[in-house]
């Protein structure tokens, strides 16, 4: 078997010759087809007419490839498997279009609201371990490196030594290290008082540094950032705008590179 390829474009120029070439060329055509499918999330952003047109285009492409290779000496298992996957793909993306379309639009809206340079969503009156309550505006004029965490979260706890070292190294810089605990009643026997007590005991026993806050029953800030997993780190600039909605962890060397790029 001989493989030929032109320099540009790389993948599209592959051709096989010799024994088994029909099957391999068919596989290449499927690869090219998958590139033309597009990300399902981007397809769901399309309005219904545009979505239907895109689906028809994909189906037409599939049919043309099948017509081209159907009479050739192709491995039957490969041919049938490819057709099954293509059919399943079309069924999957057309099923529940309305629900997926609405979800994609909401995700796009969230991404736009938390894009670099956009004003950060705010938290208000989160309980401060040292007393009183704090809001995001209290840190105006400084960079804010936020750590969203919980006492029950193993990966969060693993980051604590790195976060302490980072806070110590940048202690005299124009940046505030703020940790927001999301400890809740559900994981503490249904008691919010127990959740707060557990958080306070943890902060005291581990001698956590920086500003330690507890969100209590208010999850609006986490919801605004669509935080579905912790730990989550966010960097906000002195004007309250987003630098990185999913910033590197304290253990990641890239966080210091980011700080350096910002003049810290």
């Amino acid at each position: 078997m001989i493989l030929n390829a032109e320099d540009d474009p790389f993948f599209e120029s592959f051709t096989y010759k010799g024994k088994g070439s029909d099957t391999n060329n068919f596989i290449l055509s499927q690869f090219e087809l998958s590139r033309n499918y597009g990300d399902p999330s981007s397809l769901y952003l399309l309005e219904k007419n545009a979505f239907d047109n895109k689906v028809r285009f994909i189906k037409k492409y599939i049919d043309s490839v099948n017509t081209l290779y159907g009479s050739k000496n192709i491995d039957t298992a490969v041919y049938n498997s490819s057709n099954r996957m293509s059919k399943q793909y079309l069924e999957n993306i057309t099923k529940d279009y309305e629900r997926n379309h609405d979800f994609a639009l909401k995700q796009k809206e969230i991404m736009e609201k938390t894009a670099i340079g956009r004003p950060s969503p705010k938290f208000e009156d989160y309980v401060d371990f040292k007393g009183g309550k704090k809001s995001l505006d209290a840190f105006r004029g400084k960079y804010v490196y936020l750590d969203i965490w919980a006492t029950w979260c193993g990966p969060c706890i693993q980051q604590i030594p790195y976060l302490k070292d980072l806070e110590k190294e940048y202690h005299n810089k124009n940046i505030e290290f703020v940790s927001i605990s999301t400890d809740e009643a559900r994981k503490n026997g249904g008691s919010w008082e127990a959740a707060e007590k557990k958080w306070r005991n943890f902060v005291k026993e581990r001698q956590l540094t920086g500003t330690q806050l507890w969100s209590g029953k208010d999850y609006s800030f986490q919801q605004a950032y669509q935080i579905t997993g912790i730990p989550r780190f966010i960097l906000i600039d002195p004007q309250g705008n987003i630098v990185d909605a999913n910033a590197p962890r304290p253990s990641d060397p890239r966080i210091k590179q980011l700080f350096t790029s910002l003049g810290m």
Side-chain angles (χ1 to χ4, degrees):
M1 180 178 66
I2 299 174
L3 170 64
N4 291 331
E6 300 297 331
D7 291 334
D8 185 34
F10 188 65
F11 284 109
E12 295 176 5
S13 65
F14 274 124
T15 58
Y16 288 89
K17 295 181 180 180
K19 185 177 180 180
S21 60
D22 286 340
T23 296
N24 287 311
N25 284 325
F26 175 73
I27 292 172
L28 282 177
S29 72
Q30 299 306 301
F31 173 81
E32 180 59 24
L33 173 60
S34 67
R35 295 175 65 196
N36 286 316
Y37 280 166
D39 179 9
S41 61
S42 65
L43 291 178
Y44 289 133
L45 286 172
L46 299 173
E47 294 303 322
K48 191 63 167 64
N49 286 341
F51 176 82
D52 289 342
N53 287 335
K54 181 66 173 180
V55 171
R56 280 193 290 269
F57 169 78
I58 294 173
K59 187 177 186 304
K60 185 177 180 180
Y61 191 105
I62 292 171
D63 290 342
S64 67
V65 169
N66 287 340
T67 299
L68 176 63
Y69 287 97
S71 61
K72 296 181 180 291
N73 186 27
I74 298 176
D75 183 285
T76 303
V78 172
Y79 184 79
N80 291 337
S81 174
S82 176
N83 281 324
R84 281 196 301 271
M85 287 190 293
S86 295
K87 181 180 179 181
Q88 188 64 53
Y89 175 81
L90 291 176
E91 289 178 356
N92 288 342
I93 64 172
T94 54
K95 184 179 180 181
D96 297 329
Y97 162 80
E98 293 297 337
R99 177 175 59 83
N100 291 324
H101 176 63
D102 291 342
F103 178 77
L105 290 177
K106 289 178 182 177
Q107 289 298 110
K108 180 184 179 185
E109 182 181 1
I110 291 168
M111 292 295 291
E112 290 175 346
K113 287 183 177 180
T114 57
I116 294 174
R118 293 295 300 268
S120 172
K122 297 180 180 180
F123 58 83
E124 303 282 349
D125 298 329
Y126 278 9
V127 176
D128 189 338
F129 176 78
K130 293 182 179 179
K133 297 183 177 181
K134 285 285 195 310
S135 302
L136 181 61
D137 285 342
F139 307 103
R140 196 88 169 180
K142 289 186 175 183
Y143 284 97
V144 182
Y145 185 59
L146 290 166
D147 169 22
I148 314 300
W149 72 292
T151 60
W152 49 262
C153 170
C156 300
I157 296 172
Q158 186 269 339
Q159 289 297 313
I160 288 175
Y162 299 99
L163 183 59
K164 281 185 174 182
D165 289 343
L166 201 63
E167 195 273 340
K168 184 177 180 180
E169 182 175 349
Y170 289 85
H171 185 69
N172 294 319
K173 304 292 184 180
N174 190 39
I175 184 170
E176 192 78 24
F177 292 83
V178 180
S179 297
I180 298 176
S181 165
T182 61
D183 279 84
E184 58 184 343
R186 183 172 58 88
K187 289 183 177 292
N188 290 275
S191 168
W192 286 101
E193 290 77 10
E196 181 178 357
K197 183 179 180 180
K198 183 179 180 182
W199 162 68
R200 288 187 177 279
N201 289 340
F202 190 98
V203 172
K204 183 178 179 179
E205 291 169 3
R206 297 296 182 103
Q207 298 182 330
L208 302 188
T209 56
T211 301
Q212 296 294 327
L213 306 179
W214 178 57
S215 64
K217 299 179 182 180
D218 181 12
Y219 285 93
S220 58
F221 181 74
Q222 293 91 310
Q223 290 170 348
Y225 273 100
Q226 283 294 289
I227 297 174
T228 57
I230 53 177
R232 172 76 172 270
F233 296 89
I234 301 167
L235 184 61
I236 301 170
D237 73 13
Q239 290 73 45
N241 298 321
I242 299 169
V243 176
D244 194 334
N246 196 3
R249 296 182 175 193
S251 61
D252 188 335
R254 292 179 300 169
I255 188 60
K256 290 186 181 181
Q257 295 172 9
L258 179 56
F259 288 170
T260 299
S261 72
L262 296 171
M264 286 187 274

